[in-house]
Amino acid sequence: MKSQQQLRDICEKFFIYGDYLVATPFGNGNINDTYQVTYDQGGIRLHYTLQRVNKTVFTEPEKVMENVDRVTRHMLHKIYSSNQATRKRTIRLLYARTGEPYVYDDDGELWRAYIFIEHARTYDILESTDHAFKAARTFGEFQDDMVDLPGPRLHETIPNFHNTPLRLTKLQEAIKLDPCDRVKEVSEEIDFVMARSGELGRLVELNQAGLLPERITHNDTKVNNILIDDVSGNGICVLDLDTVMPGLALYDFGDMVRSGTNSAEEDEQNLDRVQMRFDMFEALLRGYLAGAGSFLTPLEREELPFSGKLISMELGIRFLTDYIQGDTYFKTTRTKQNLDRCRTQFKLAQDMEANFGRMHKLLKSLTGRPRNVF
Ligand code: GN1
Ligand code: MG
């Protein structure tokens, strides 16, 4: 944890008008450290977001920042060229005295700062179907905005991030090593994964076969990565752009379904509370098609229901691997938190299996009709 003096020193490296007052921890991301910083400018309090990029997870943080800089500038350009009232604000990086959109602290850690967007917040659990629709539409619009991002290809900030079969291989390696003697506690979870191992490669294989296109995707479309306007309830912009890179659109939709249909917290311990909410699925599907419908191919549409289950399995596998390895990747605040997180994901995957036919029926009813559906 950094002291106020250290945080102030970091902030001073950026061009920020006024006097530093205080920095307070902000949000509940699993990877980076985030602060809200308050400045006094001529008697008025202004806020900024300050973030330390986790260099264990992002081993080439300058490449992350090059991507984020290009993507945020492109989003700004889209706002200028669009007249939609819901899209007046977006995240904007501050530039440092060096001219770069980041600074380094004395420990060699990379920090960035954003202008803070006021009267807006994020939600861990979707509160209404209207909220779900708007969140998914905002993610869909983001993908749509990225369709014409000028080249070159973005950096892969975490290679193979959504390569689900490789995530399975990593789990199997962790099971073999069993460094913390935890494998004996998780045999049920391992069986659950192995019973579904045959379908984990489905989207990656379709991509390799040239049937699913690579796009620029967000790759972390948890619903709390959408900023919602306090007054209108509209999605303002997407947050957490570290993993924006080449990827498959379906993993983005899947992660919305995984996080947005969940009736409980991601680390809920009482699994009876964890349910896949079908009404939220419907709203997410409608919202996503409203934002991204113009470019999705027929096969991408067809695989939308499967994508939610696939990424619930993938993330469950990642949480399980981290638990077996001794909780070294995802931040934890209590023991077994990663195991609880894994179990919620598998419960959701199971619910989605049970609802698969219904999801497809809904999809057909929405995409089967030629026009004015969304
Ligand atoms: C991490 O930082 P955060 O909480 O937005 C993770 C995602 C997971 C998510 C699960 C770079 O995202 O992949 O889906 O936790 N990000 C990275 O809550 O691994
Ligand atoms: Mg986040």
Side-chain angles (χ1 to χ4, degrees), residues 199-340:
E199 58 191 19
L200 299 179
R202 184 175 173 88
L203 299 188
V204 171
E205 283 154 20
L206 285 171
N207 170 248
Q208 283 161 355
L211 297 171
L212 283 177
E214 174 182 291
R215 302 187 181 282
I216 295 173
T217 52
H218 184 280
N219 297 303
D220 186 9
T221 52
K222 217 169 34 171
V223 290
N224 74 5
N225 279 333
I226 286 286
L227 192 62
I228 303 281
D229 188 304
D230 283 347
V231 179
S232 67
N234 286 325
I236 296 177
C237 61
V238 304
L239 305 174
D240 222 345
L241 304 175
D242 300 321
T243 51
V244 174
M245 57 182 157
L248 301 182
L250 284 161
Y251 277 100
D252 275 5
F253 180 69
D255 208 32
M256 289 174 226
V257 173
R258 171 194 81 73
S259 57
T261 62
N262 188 357
S263 53
E265 299 282 351
E266 197 169 82
D267 61 353
E268 174 61 56
Q269 297 178 64
N270 179 354
L271 288 183
D272 291 340
R273 294 209 187 121
V274 178
Q275 269 147 23
M276 181 263 182
R277 296 175 293 176
F278 196 86
D279 57 341
M280 293 297 173
F281 173 77
E282 173 163 359
L284 289 167
L285 184 60
R286 286 177 183 271
Y288 181 61
L289 290 172
S294 63
F295 63 81
L296 292 175
T297 66
L299 184 60
E300 281 176 315
R301 288 165 194 258
E302 181 65 21
E303 294 295 329
L304 289 169
F306 174 69
S307 67
K309 175 184 158 188
L310 180 66
I311 200 150
S312 304
M313 289 303 300
E314 180 185 287
L315 188 59
I317 288 171
R318 292 175 63 199
F319 285 140
L320 184 58
T321 308
D322 200 27
Y323 181 69
I324 293 172
Q325 287 176 330
D327 308 312
T328 57
Y329 185 92
F330 295 102
K331 287 187 195 168
T332 52
T333 51
R334 57 178 170 80
T335 51
K336 302 213 183 213
Q337 193 171 10
N338 273 323
L339 182 56
D340 291 330

